[in-house]
Amino acid sequence: MKIELRHGAGGADTSELIDRVFAKHFSNDVLNRMEDAAVLPRPEGRLALTTDSFVVRPLEFAGGDIGRLSVCGTVNDLCCMGARPRYLTAGFILEEGLESETLGRVVTSMAKTAEEAGVTIVAGDTKVIEGAGGLLINTAGVGTIPEGRDVSAANLRPGDRLILSGTLGEHHAVILSARMGLETSLRSDCAPLTKMAEALFAAGVHVHAMRDVTRGGLATVACELAKASGCSILLREAALPVSEGVRALCGILGLDPLTMGNEGKLFLAVPGAEAERALAAVRSAPYGENAALVGSVAEGSGVVLETAVGGRRVLSPLRGEGLPRIC
Amino acid sequence: MKIELRHGAGGADTSELIDRVFAKHFSNDVLNRMEDAAVLPRPEGRLALTTDSFVVRPLEFAGGDIGRLSVCGTVNDLCCMGARPRYLTAGFILEEGLESETLGRVVTSMAKTAEEAGVTIVAGDTKVIEGAGGLLINTAGVGTIPEGRDVSAANLRPGDRLILSGTLGEHHAVILSARMGLETSLRSDCAPLTKMAEALFAAGVHVHAMRDVTRGGLATVACELAKASGCSILLREAALPVSEGVRALCGILGLDPLTMGNEGKLFLAVPGAEAERALAAVRSAPYGENAALVGSVAEGSGVVLETAVGGRRVLSPLRGEGLPRIC
């Protein structure tokens, strides 16, 4: 079945679509009530609230799809504030001509990823617009922040050490390859990092700042943290994990892994004395086996890369187009 | 300035757009921190959580715009669960070619409507896609539900009386007229109904069920409530408020105000003994001056309209296309 405009008019056809595609995969006590808003118990602790829209093309790619991405992106933003992800909302904008089978696979993938991430999808919305079979998804996420956690982009301190939870650039490389029609064995790294973040707190690490490395890549994230905290960051190129496949693609196309987006990698700052413990916690968590200590924080400003041959390069945030629609 | 794909790549150009357009109008302590997620105090009471995407065309119309609509739609969904709207997230999907001046007006309108509605926009996201200058907005909303309120689509009881807070169909009629190039004096009714809902609770009314009348119109909403509650609904056509302008447009185009969408009208069920008090509360609130008692709830199932000439017509939810993209 192809999606038509009538599926978005809010009447009987919309109800049928919701029953057939969404209710089946997202079934839970809250959502099944089909009210105007989900009613949830009073949460423990402070709230974290975030939103992200997903416009990636192609909708399905090696290692993931827009549905898995739409859960991971929002869940990981909550984790980066020290929150335990609890609830998601999902807003679907369908372009007419979308195959309902494609939508069904995406929704199945979202449900599976939500379960892995430990969140419940409690509210949704569906609209249909003119177009060519595309699909846009917005998710908003609510998490709760336990007492004693104070994670912020502004909390870098001189003496902190910096950890990257795995290899750079896979997601970006996969989307780029798919668009260019290149055959590669690369797979997107998109993954929910709930367990990785919780492993850090369970190990008693006082995480100062944490960001997931997405659009703009590590260079952009590092610049944002340095600016927000009024510190400088030194990254060691030789320590940055990059896979052979991404390295090869970057060589051919003249790309820099430092401005390529991931969707399942954390970049975090911890007190120097806790760095080895933090690294062990990240490595023991799912998706963290290639984690590495990649740099340190000092007084000053800006981000400097110590290159593999011993030179020094000042890093800037991504400027210009990059690759649009990677998430 | 026209929006280009580079404004959505997540680097320096995205930051500049956020600074120039969004930060200026949405400035508040939480949002200004520019973290991955907003951190909010532990809320009083249960949470209500909802989401809605807005895809209306044209972006600006008589009486409103997509920005005002994107606040009202989500705020009103929270109100309908008895919640006090507190926080909004806003996800913007910009099509390349969108004029940044248009975006600026829409964002200004959102900020003004959020203030009227009593909500704070605490998190946002911006993406840019290929297209023809369009704009899509998703909002998600968090509200808190005070003790003692129990509003649900499933709570209709035989003997309840039904109130409609004003005239039917304005928003739908305005969008339809704009698309057809018709000159009319109609204005969209899109409005935040926070004060109306709170006026009911402040008057001690035990609201059983409440819905805002949107896509699908009153017929669809009434059918949904009757089904969820296992009751029947009787509506009196002569009591339904419809403006002269909407009535005229419906006459010309063969439309039925009962399946036309509003964006600032509540339909609610209250115990029979509280009906006059509830009506007075709604009428005293902003946007409620034309409220009327329009029907009642009984045992049984389905929705029946007692026509102005004394006949009886069974109402069904909207089927087929209706008018797409009215919200």
Side-chain angles (χ1 to χ4, degrees), chain B residues 83-148:
Chain B
R84 291 186 179 133
R86 300 291 303 275
Y87 307 113
L88 288 188
T89 66
F92 293 87
I93 300 178
L94 319 178
E95 288 182 7
E96 46 172 356
L98 176 67
E99 290 290 349
S100 61
E101 290 71 23
T102 308
L103 181 62
R105 287 195 302 276
V106 166
V107 166
T108 306
S109 172
M110 280 184 83
K112 198 174 147 195
T113 310
E115 192 180 347
E116 183 187 352
V119 289
T120 311
I121 297 170
V122 295
D125 176 63
T126 308
K127 295 289 190 305
V128 182
I129 61 174
E130 300 83 352
L135 168 61
L136 310 168
I137 302 178
N138 174 284
T139 52
V142 174
T144 53
I145 306 178
E147 280 298 308

Side-chain angles (χ1 to χ4, degrees), chain A residues 199-225:
Chain A
L200 282 160
F201 295 110
V205 175
H206 297 85
V207 178
H208 282 170
M210 188 150 58
R211 276 279 164 104
D212 56 332
V213 181
T214 55
R215 286 184 300 174
L218 182 63
T220 303
V221 170
C223 288
E224 286 172 359
L225 293 184

